[in-house]
Amino acid sequence: GAVVSQHPSRVICKSGTSVKIECRSLDFQATTMFWYRQFPKQSLMLMATSNEGSKATYEQGVEKDKFLINHASLTLSTLTVTSAHPEDSSFYICSAVRAKFGYTFGSGTRLTVV
Amino acid sequence: EDQVTQSPEALRLQEGESSSLNCSYTVSGLRGLFWYRQDPGKGPEFLFTLYSAGEEKEKERLKATLTKKESFLHITAPKPEDSATYLCAVQAGSGGSNYKLTFGKGTLLTVNP
């Protein structure tokens, strides 16, 4: 199969602190992972493409210094929201691609910044 | 810029009442059109991939079709457990961005018993 695990599922943090979200491909190696953000009743918006061993590619309007992405291995990509503010509260979802299985999504992380 | 528009935004059906969801798209060089189901607080769950106009795929009560401008997700005799948000996404190829998916806003389907 193609299973993607995302952790944590929910996190509440104080304004100004940083939060790390992990995305793991459990039964395959993923050279490319994607990070999305989804606001209530809105579409999934691609934030960045994470490539193993190289710098992430960010979409226009996404602050790379605020949303740090590290894809240090073929099974793990992390998204760190630095100096979080209430407007960063959202649902963050990762995805990975596996040949013949297509795109598989994690279960998402609900971030609430208070 | 790739665009995906889904309609209606919300749809309420009675159990057993068949209907269709629409996904219209504007892309340069469609590589694939995807349908996903998303339950509240969860990530999208894969349903179908369609690659060329005229293609159809079925899974239980769902059937997806594709034309050059739009895709339909037909739901036959839906059950309450089919209630979810259905997302449409397109993959359009151009150089290094050929794995990107562009999503529509989704259709929130509610099936009443």
Side-chain angles (χ1 to χ4, degrees):
Chain A
V3 180
V4 174
S5 174
Q6 190 171 340
H7 180 81
S9 58
R10 290 178 177 271
V11 59
I12 300 173
C13 71
K14 292 185 177 181
S15 185
T17 62
S18 296
V19 173
K20 180 184 286 187
I21 302 170
E22 292 187 349
C23 180
R24 296 180 183 272
S25 55
L26 296 185
D27 52 356
F28 66 104
Q29 294 182 331
T31 56
T32 302
M33 291 187 176
F34 304 90
W35 287 96
Y36 293 84
R37 181 167 51 182
Q38 186 178 33
F39 291 106
K41 298 186 179 181
Q42 296 296 313
S43 175
L44 275 74
M45 296 300 294
L46 181 65
M47 298 175 66
T49 302
S50 170
N51 300 296
E52 187 270 335
S54 65
K55 291 183 178 180
T57 303
Y58 290 82
E59 294 300 300
Q60 191 172 7
V62 177
E63 300 175 61
K64 61 181 180 181
D65 294 331
K66 180 171 187 61
F67 299 98
L68 301 179
I69 292 173
N70 187 319
H71 195 155
S73 77
L74 287 171
T75 60
L76 175 64
S77 176
T78 61
L79 168 68
T80 301
V81 182
T82 63
S83 187
H85 288 93
E87 57 264 32
D88 298 323
S89 298
S90 187
F91 192 55
Y92 293 87
I93 309 173
C94 70
S95 171
V97 179
R98 186 179 190 186
K100 298 184 181 179
F101 291 90
Y103 299 82
T104 302
F105 287 82
S107 55
T109 297
R110 171 72 59 194
L111 171 63
T112 303
V113 184
V114 297
Chain B
E1 184 179 334
D2 302 334
Q3 291 190 347
V4 179
T5 303
Q6 291 188 245
S7 62
E9 290 186 8
L11 180 63
R12 284 186 176 273
L13 300 173
Q14 288 298 122
E15 184 172 3
E17 179 186 2
S18 302
S19 188
S20 297
L21 313 182
N22 177 266
C23 171
S24 60
Y25 61 90
T26 305
V27 299
S28 56
L30 179 72
R31 297 173 68 96
L33 185 140
F34 301 79
W35 282 98
Y36 288 89
R37 168 190 171 128
Q38 186 177 27
D39 292 303
K42 303 290 185 181
E45 175 187 339
F46 174 75
L47 293 175
F48 304 106
T49 307
L50 301 168
Y51 295 101
S52 57
E55 189 175 0
E56 300 182 351
K57 288 190 176 176
E58 288 188 68
K59 179 181 178 181
E60 297 180 353
R61 296 179 291 280
L62 301 177
K63 178 181 177 180
T65 62
L66 180 66
T67 72
K68 289 185 177 180
K69 294 183 179 181
E70 58 191 349
S71 176
F72 290 93
L73 183 65
H74 307 278
I75 302 177
T76 302
K79 297 182 178 181
E81 53 261 41
D82 294 323
S83 298
T85 296
Y86 290 84
L87 300 171
C88 172
V90 297
Q91 178 195 22
S94 64
S97 64
N98 60 2
Y99 287 111
K100 288 175 54 175
L101 291 183
T102 301
F103 280 86
K105 291 185 177 181
T107 294
L108 174 60
L109 174 67
T110 304
V111 182
N112 297 315

